[in-house]
Amino acid sequence: SVAIDAMGPERTAERTSAARELRKALEGLSPDHREVIWLCYFEERSLADIALIAGCPENTVKTRLFHARRQLRRELEQLEAS
């Protein structure tokens, strides 16, 4: 695409690599954690929406997000170290 071409090959490679690492790190999460991360950050859903979709209380969504972020951080750190 034109937008990717405008970034230059080095920047495009960095973004591709980062996207690949993020996908791999997301795969390391449990399905419940992956779901709340996806809905919150990629679909930009509210906590209330996520609770309806996941079929659980908002406080459970908050707890899942807390643990999912922590696990995602660990997964990304492991990928960087390898």
Side-chain angles (χ1 to χ4, degrees):
S1 86
V2 175
I4 290 176
D5 292 340
M7 285 192 286
E10 188 172 298
R11 182 73 176 126
T12 301
E14 287 174 8
R15 289 191 67 170
T16 302
S17 176
R20 192 172 24 253
E21 285 183 4
L22 180 57
R23 260 193 312 273
K24 195 169 195 173
L26 285 168
E27 290 171 5
L29 299 179
S30 71
D32 286 341
H33 288 169
R34 193 169 37 251
E35 177 183 44
V36 295
I37 289 289
W38 186 265
L39 292 170
C40 182
Y41 293 104
F42 295 95
E43 293 191 17
E44 299 180 348
R45 300 288 188 118
S46 69
L47 292 175
D49 283 348
I50 297 169
L52 284 173
I53 293 166
C56 63
E58 278 188 53
N59 283 336
T60 300
V61 171
K62 290 176 186 178
T63 301
R64 287 180 185 174
L65 278 169
F66 172 81
H67 291 290
R69 287 184 200 111
R70 188 170 59 183
Q71 183 61 34
L72 190 58
R73 188 176 307 115
R74 284 188 199 128
E75 295 286 336
L76 288 168
E77 287 171 353
Q78 286 179 353
L79 287 171
E80 287 177 8
S82 61

